[in-house]
Amino acid sequence: MTTSDYKKAFTQLKANPIKLKKYKKHNTPKVRKTGIGLRRCKRCGRFGAHIRSYGLHLCRTCFREDAKSIGFKKFS
Ligand SMILES: [Zn+2]
């Protein structure tokens, strides 16, 4: 199972409530207070290479794609 959404399996597991309960117990992601796992890109959901400055909350790839439309200029 990917980190994208552990709730994807819920629709299949709703047929058996006991198995759903067990699935939730073992697969619910840990609630993070610090670190990389706390911050995700708001556009694509990626964890790595996160840009927090100016309240962007984008990963580097999304920033490169959106930078011009946001108003950033490249000087080099
Ligand atoms: Zn992104």
Side-chain angles (χ1 to χ4, degrees):
M1 178 73 29
T2 59
T3 54
S4 64
D5 196 8
Y6 79 103
K7 292 177 182 175
K8 281 180 180 173
F10 279 13
T11 49
Q12 194 177 6
L13 288 164
K14 275 177 186 168
N16 190 339
I18 296 162
K19 281 197 174 177
L20 178 66
K21 194 177 172 186
K22 188 179 178 184
Y23 178 82
K24 278 181 184 172
K25 182 186 173 187
H26 291 286
N27 294 289
T28 318
K30 192 177 179 181
V31 178
R32 304 283 175 186
K33 289 175 185 170
T34 56
I36 282 177
L38 186 70
R39 295 177 279 277
R40 304 187 76 164
C41 173
K42 66 179 180 185
R43 194 164 162 241
C44 69
R46 189 181 306 207
F47 288 111
H50 191 91
I51 298 167
R52 282 162 71 186
S53 48
Y54 310 112
L56 288 172
H57 294 288
L58 294 169
C59 69
R60 62 168 198 87
T61 357
C62 292
F63 176 73
R64 279 179 69 99
E65 289 167 6
D66 279 359
K68 270 192 176 179
S69 63
I70 295 169
F72 284 89
K73 281 181 185 173
K74 196 171 181 179
F75 288 105
S76 59

